[in-house]
């Protein structure tokens, strides 16, 4: 194993600052968190699977705390419910958690989202750290303070902005990820590269095969930095931060229409990006750019898009939680590195959606 | 009915500012909220009882909104559960609520606390207004952004800081309150007067009989202003804001030990104040001050303190959510207008608590 190469980033936000440590061997930076947990009760939220795979990774923190208490949820989006949050809060009260207790999440996007929400509402908010273990969580979910759970009526419909004090992303943990998980996470990297960071795009294009094989440290740090820049500019998703929603408008609708089965989040977002490219083309995006991004996405070898009901998709699009009373605004691409907000009428979208469902990769 | 006398206060806080309108006829100020709801979906959270008593009070807002949706919970602390919050969120998603939708609470402390929490976590936070209808909510619960619900394991253990854009406190609504409710609310006024505002104390001492008979406008505005000053100085209850916890340390434990029956919140806080006076005396509070405050509390003609198990009370005190890992810190009184934070060891507290339970009004 080569020696740790750890990138350090600081994200300033209205609640203070988050310190990020990213790279192969970043877990060594847990040492920096010792004063943060010393003398306090520490809650560790993880899953049985991660506990088996990397259970000892957080031992230095447990040893530094006055007392540590394990909290556990099963893997998968099914854990992001109010019932699980309620159970965890109950366990934390009974264990004697106080306002100056700490919580650390150790898991993927589900654990990040749920754990951030649980920390944000426990006794009106306790400090927490994210130790994300999936590519998706390392480049996206664990950064930026968005937390949430799902209702039957919609994903991430309940939550709050609650920034972690620390984000420790050790890219060595990604070695145990299945290929499909890495691919899903890379879609978010592509999203940020295309809309925000052309150097990152070149890096992804040049190294995709290597990246799929898990040598991920450089692009994780690059994507995290791109996300930090956006979050700093707009911490509570007033406006600008919605550029991160590039590909997610249709992506979320696809996931919901499929009952959150068949496609992973990143895979759905990849199709969402393809659809956004198509809409962007109609609004003037040069064909060369659209084709370039499409070809990159094609190299990810996505699972095929299952059959979908267009009426259901349109209904779900209109329920998008980022919709305002004024209607649905899309994040499109004016050019590489130049995302734009465009309001489109339902007629245009319907027409393009029909063609897209017939073949997502043509007409881009 | 005399013409409206409406006090205007502005509370600056890290999330922005809350505008307060307080007094006889303050509902007229709802007119100022018209631009705030215009063109948007409006959720109104209230109770069937309030709907019968004052159902039309918010009609000007409903008329100004693009669409209004009624949300309802039963009266009483039983409504402050995760299950109710979950049901309300579900109703809001299904109704088509968006991030720029608005919520207005219309009710007592329970509705304020629950409604603020529901607004704070819906789609990661929507703007809301409080229209409190009880004295307790007008002087305390609706001001300062503290929101929360109860778990089986503890009251207000889940929540967040989410400030309302508006607080509209019409003291005419208090005319329909039972005497016991007015008395309970007046305890919070006494708490703030004694620890923060001597003019307010003189006003309460001189006018207590009138206040119990419901002429409440002047002290509501005074108490609200005192609370605003504290919240401005310490919006997220880091330290100074805990002066508002004066009387609440034992008060909360009494409520919990009694299963939230037998004593209203304010009544429990009144006993908590008596106990805090007793501890303050041991730390040097002049007897004249302690006796003066005790005599004022005695005039409220509190229901007697039920029999209580001292071991249970001590256990509950140690679980106080404002306890830190370092132990329990009490808000005591050094003198009128001079609250102090004092850490006391459990032995001292136990001894005083035994005497207090025997007769809460002696030895102060």
């Amino acid at each position: 194993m080569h020696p740790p190469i750890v990138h350090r980033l600081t994200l300033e936000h209205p609640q203070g600052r988050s310190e990020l440590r990213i790279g192969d061997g970043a877990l060594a930076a847990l040492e920096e968190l010792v004063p943060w947990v010393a003398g306090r009760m520490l809650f560790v939220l993880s899953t049985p699977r991660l506990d088996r795979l990397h259970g000892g990774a957080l031992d230095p923190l447990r040893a530094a705390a006055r007392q540590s208490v394990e909290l556990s949820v099963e893997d998968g989006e099914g854990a992001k419910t109010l019932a699980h949050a309620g159970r965890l809060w109950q366990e934390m009260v009974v264990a004697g958690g106080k306002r100056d207790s700490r919580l650390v999440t150790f898991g993927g996007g589900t654990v990040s989202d749920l754990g951030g929400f649980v920390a944000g509402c426990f006794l009106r908010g306790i400090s927490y750290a994210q130790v994300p273990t999936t590519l998706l969580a390392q480049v996206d979910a664990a950064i930026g303070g968005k937390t949430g759970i799902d209702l039957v009526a919609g994903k991430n419909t309940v939550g709050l902005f609650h920034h972690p004090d620390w984000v420790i992303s050790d890219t060595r943990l990604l070695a145990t990820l299945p290929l499909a998980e890495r691919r899903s996470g890379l879609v978010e990297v592509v999203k940020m590269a295309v809309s925000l960071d052309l150097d990152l795009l070149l890096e992804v294009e040049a190294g995709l095969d290597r990246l799929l094989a898990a040598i991920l440290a450089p692009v994780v740090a690059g994507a995290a930095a791109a996300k930090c820049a956006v979050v700093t500019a707009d911490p509570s998703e007033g406006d600008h931060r919605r550029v991160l929603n590039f590909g997610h408008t249709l992506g979320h609708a696809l996931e919901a229409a499929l009952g959150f089965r068949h496609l992973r989040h990143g895979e759905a977002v990849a199709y969402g990006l393809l659809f956004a490219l198509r809409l962007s083309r109609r609004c003037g995006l040069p064909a060369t750019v659209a084709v370039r991004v499409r070809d990159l996405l094609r190299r990810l070898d996505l699972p095929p898009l299952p059959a979908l009901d267009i009426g259901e998709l349109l209904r779900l699009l209109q329920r998008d939680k980022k919709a305002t009373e004024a209607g649905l605004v899309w994040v499109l691409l004016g050019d590489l590195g130049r995302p734009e907000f465009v309001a489109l009428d339902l007629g245009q979208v319907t027409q393009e959606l029909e063609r897209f469902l017939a073949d997502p990769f043509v007409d881009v």
Side-chain angles (χ1 to χ4, degrees), chain A:
Chain A
M1 229 161 29
H2 55 85
I5 306 169
V6 179
H7 299 259
R8 303 165 64 95
L9 290 169
T10 301
L11 172 59
E12 308 266 358
H13 53 74
Q15 296 161 13
R17 49 198 282 169
S18 303
E19 289 292 335
L20 288 74
R21 303 291 180 264
I22 303 162
D24 281 356
L27 281 172
L30 286 177
E31 201 177 295
E32 294 185 67
L33 278 71
V34 166
W36 180 83
V37 296
R40 301 173 190 268
M41 181 172 288
L42 170 69
F43 295 100
V44 176
L45 175 63
S46 193
T47 74
R49 195 180 57 82
L50 275 163
D51 205 41
R52 281 193 304 275
L53 282 171
H54 307 289
L58 300 184
D59 282 352
L61 279 190
R62 291 189 182 95
R66 183 174 58 70
Q67 182 186 350
S68 74
V69 176
E70 305 299 309
L71 304 172
S72 186
V73 288
E74 287 300 320
D75 274 284
E77 190 79 14
K80 280 177 59 178
T81 63
L82 209 53
H84 280 289
R87 171 179 64 81
L88 297 175
W89 285 320
Q90 183 77 20
E91 289 177 23
M92 291 165 76
V93 175
V94 170
K98 306 284 186 229
R99 289 188 172 188
D100 57 355
S101 300
R102 307 298 198 199
L103 185 145
V104 175
T105 72
F106 186 61
T110 295
V111 170
S112 298
D113 288 357
L114 173 66
F117 178 63
V118 165
C121 290
F122 183 64
L123 306 180
R124 299 201 186 92
I126 64 171
S127 296
Y128 76 116
Q130 303 273 26
V131 185
T133 59
T134 65
L135 181 55
L136 191 72
Q138 290 191 355
V139 299
D140 194 14
I143 303 170
K146 282 172 72 167
T147 77
I149 54 160
D150 305 331
L151 297 181
V152 174
K155 228 181 124 174
N156 291 317
T157 37
V158 171
L160 76 163
F161 286 93
H162 185 54
H163 283 275
D165 287 356
W166 293 92
V167 182
I168 309 295
S169 297
D170 193 330
T171 40
R172 282 183 187 151
L173 295 171
L174 307 180
T176 52
L177 276 189
L179 173 64
E181 271 296 321
R182 285 202 294 277
R183 184 171 59 203
S184 182
L186 276 171
V187 173
E188 297 285 356
V189 178
V190 170
K191 174 196 79 175
M192 288 187 268
V194 166
S195 59
L196 299 166
D197 185 338
L198 302 194
D199 291 337
L200 186 59
L201 177 59
L202 293 171
E203 205 167 347
V204 173
E205 286 179 322
L208 192 65
D209 301 331
R210 208 164 33 84
L211 293 171
L212 285 170
I215 320 245
L216 287 154
V219 301
V220 170
K227 174 145 188 187
C228 282
V230 173
V231 171
T232 302
D234 177 16
S236 58
E237 202 161 34
D239 187 8
H240 174 63
R241 181 164 174 174
R242 295 194 189 179
V243 298
L244 297 172
N245 210 36
F246 184 40
H248 282 63
T249 308
L250 184 65
H252 285 148
L254 290 172
E255 285 186 280
L258 294 167
F260 300 95
R261 287 184 299 272
H262 308 299
L263 289 184
R264 287 164 196 267
H265 176 68
E267 294 162 350
V269 171
Y271 283 109
L273 288 172
L274 284 167
F275 187 61
L277 286 173
R278 177 185 298 261
L279 295 178
S280 301
R281 278 284 292 131
R282 307 300 163 263
C283 298
L285 177 71
T288 48
V289 174
V291 167
R292 177 174 171 185
V293 179
R294 179 199 63 186
D295 289 349
L296 179 58
L297 290 169
R298 211 203 287 268
R299 287 169 65 196
L300 289 174
D301 198 17
L302 298 169
L305 191 61
L308 285 153
D309 177 59
I310 189 168
E312 169 76 355
L313 274 178
L314 289 167
R315 194 184 60 75
L316 287 163
L317 279 172
Q318 286 168 285
R319 192 175 276 186
D320 188 287
K321 76 176 177 306
K322 288 180 193 74
T324 63
E325 307 268 348
L328 197 58
V329 174
W330 295 76
V331 185
L332 302 183
L333 210 56
D335 201 345
L336 286 178
R338 190 156 61 77
E340 295 175 342
F341 300 105
V342 182
L344 294 174
D345 72 51
L346 204 61
Q348 281 175 280
V349 172
T350 308
Q351 204 171 43
E352 294 295 338
L353 194 55
E354 276 169 6
R355 290 189 203 145
F356 169 84
L357 291 176
D359 186 342
F361 285 91
V362 299
D363 283 344
V364 164

